[in-house]
Amino acid sequence: MRRTGTRWSAAGQWVGQEWAEVRRSVRSACGEAGPERDTLVQSLKAAGAAILAWALCGWWFQAPMALLAPWTAIAMVGSTVYQSLRTGAQQFAIIALGTVWASGAMALTRDRSMTSMLLTLPFMMLLGNYRRFGSQGIYGATTALFVITAGVSSTSTVGHRLLETLIGAVIGLLVNALVLPPVHLRSVRDRLGRVAQETADLLDAMADGLREEDGLAGAEGWHLRAARLTVSLQDVSDARRWATEGSRWNPGSRLRRTGPTPPPFADDMRWGRVCTRALAVARTLAGIREDPELSRPSPDFFRQLSDVLGQAAVICVRETELLTSAEPDTPRDGRDAVAGEARAGLDALTEVFRRQEGTAAAVGGELLLEVRQLVTELDSA
């Protein structure tokens, strides 16, 4: 019973965290420009393209396989206009192949659905893994399923299916290119700012925890949070790629306000190193808690370490403000002042470290080295 209660408690915490993330995303999408609003806009554009394609093929033309038009239109509304153009050819090719192959199988088997699936799906799944189709290969098999379950095959119906697929592709491409075409220059700055804020929250949590009586009680949680920073770093990498693609063949680069230019790529590398150092500090603290044979550094050492981590967290907060500020030339005086305090705190931490002995000195030396490198990376901007 106790184990069951623990599982329900963990499930409840997970649901609460997910719900909090959903509410945060909704507030961000409604309240400010950023990745959440971009996702909202692209989702609504895909839905609008599908409705328009269905209205044209299903309601106006009364096409026999009108479902293919909205299906293709949704697939065409990509993250960038260039991606829509690049993947559009792949999508149309694989969807057309799925349509023709499934129609041929239906004609050969005299519209027997089960036999047609046996002749179609294994081949289309293998063909979908061909690297030239990229991530669009799955559309061949799913389109073939739509065609087979529709039940009728003839030369005219094959022509209709190909035409409806083409109409959906054209509508999806035009909607993505002409209706608020996605320009991702802002996303790099937003996502870098998110990395800086998450790093600040982690360092602040470690600083607060080390001031408590059992200062390492939350060490395992800090380690998990530090490991999750790699996900945010991958988001920065994706945003950088979208920013590069977003400016290619995109009328939005001239029609829409793009905001400040993205930070240089060197900032991505620097924050990657900062996150690596934060992970190393959290991993060392977790290791100290898990190994009872290690002698812990003195309380004075942990108090001074807490001060340095707190100052590093403030630097990250200042960096977040600089990254997310609407003014590109925001003064850096506050950030530089805190960086000076962090360097002074490192000197004080070094003095406390010199009084450690035995394995406590070894553990303290590792923490001192990682924190020093962390502050050095933060101060290198």
Side-chain angles (χ1 to χ4, degrees):
M1 291 295 292
R2 184 179 300 173
R3 184 176 299 176
T4 302
T6 302
R7 290 176 179 174
W8 277 110
S9 177
Q13 291 178 357
W14 179 81
V15 171
Q17 291 173 354
E18 290 297 309
W19 178 241
E21 284 296 313
V22 170
R23 288 188 299 172
R24 184 193 62 78
S25 297
V26 171
R27 286 197 300 268
S28 297
C30 296
E32 60 185 2
E36 289 82 4
R37 179 172 292 181
D38 291 342
T39 300
L40 173 65
V41 170
Q42 289 299 104
S43 299
L44 294 178
K45 284 168 57 178
I51 294 170
L52 182 59
W54 174 260
L56 186 61
C57 291
W59 177 65
W60 190 11
F61 290 158
Q62 296 292 312
M65 195 63 179
L67 175 63
L68 288 176
W71 166 257
T72 309
I74 288 175
M76 284 295 297
V77 182
S79 298
T80 65
V81 175
Y82 172 75
Q83 186 182 85
S84 291
L85 290 167
R86 184 189 63 192
T87 61
Q90 296 172 327
Q91 288 171 357
F92 182 75
I94 193 65
I95 288 173
L97 281 171
T99 300
V100 172
W101 189 276
S103 299
M106 289 288 287
L108 183 64
T109 61
R110 298 182 180 179
D111 295 336
R112 292 186 177 91
S113 299
M114 190 64 193
T115 308
S116 298
M117 287 187 185
L118 289 173
L119 293 175
T120 301
L121 292 183
F123 172 75
M124 291 307 303
M125 288 303 298
L126 288 172
L127 185 64
N129 289 314
Y130 180 46
R131 63 185 180 86
R132 296 296 183 186
F133 291 124
S135 61
Q136 315 307 314
I138 190 64
Y139 291 116
T142 52
T143 303
L145 277 174
F146 291 154
V147 171
I148 290 171
T149 53
V152 180
S153 63
S154 66
T155 303
S156 62
T157 56
V158 173
H160 274 293
R161 289 161 182 166
L162 292 177
L163 178 61
E164 290 144 17
T165 299
L166 180 61
I167 289 174
V170 170
I171 289 175
L173 177 60
L174 290 177
V175 167
N176 200 36
L178 300 180
V179 180
L180 296 177
V183 179
H184 292 279
L185 297 179
R186 185 186 63 247
S187 296
V188 179
R189 188 173 293 275
D190 290 340
R191 293 185 186 274
L192 263 181
R194 184 166 299 178
V195 169
Q197 185 59 58
E198 290 177 359
T199 305
D201 294 341
L202 170 63
L203 295 176
D204 193 54
M206 289 194 289
D208 290 342
L210 290 174
R211 295 188 186 102
E212 297 177 359
E213 184 176 353
D214 185 6
L216 298 179
E220 186 60 33
W222 304 336
H223 189 204
L224 292 175
R225 289 177 62 178
R228 285 197 293 268
L229 288 175
T230 57
V231 178
S232 298
L233 288 172
Q234 183 59 48
D235 289 342
V236 174
S237 178
D238 292 341
R240 183 74 65 177
R241 175 173 54 82
W242 291 342
T244 302
E245 285 189 2
S247 60
R248 300 176 66 180
W249 305 341
N250 188 349
S253 60
R254 293 180 296 274
L255 298 176
R256 294 183 63 186
R257 294 173 57 190
T258 59
T261 58
F265 180 71
D267 282 9
D268 300 7
M269 303 299 293
R270 184 172 72 91
W271 278 105
R273 294 191 296 270
V274 168
C275 293
T276 299
R277 299 307 177 191
L279 175 60
V281 173
R283 182 172 56 241
T284 302
L285 291 173
I288 296 172
R289 177 174 174 78
E290 293 171 0
D291 192 345
E293 296 183 0
L294 285 177
S295 297
R296 298 184 180 184
S298 66
D300 288 343
F301 181 89
F302 279 128
R303 279 194 295 271
Q304 189 58 46
L305 176 63
S306 170
D307 291 342
V308 176
L309 290 175
Q311 290 156 351
V314 176
I315 296 175
C316 292
V317 171
R318 297 291 182 268
E319 291 269 356
T320 305
E321 295 170 353
L322 291 170
L323 285 167
T324 58
S325 174
E327 299 294 333
D329 297 326
T330 303
R332 301 169 55 90
D333 297 345
R335 179 210 174 280
D336 294 339
V338 177
E341 294 176 4
R343 291 192 297 271
L346 276 175
D347 293 338
L349 182 63
T350 302
E351 291 299 323
V352 176
F353 163 72
R354 290 171 179 165
R355 297 195 292 270
Q356 309 303 307
E357 298 178 354
T359 56
V363 172
E366 184 174 354
L367 285 170
L368 175 61
L369 176 62
E370 295 295 346
V371 172
R372 182 177 293 279
Q373 291 176 329
L374 171 66
V375 173
T376 299
E377 293 293 350
L378 287 172
D379 194 32
S380 64

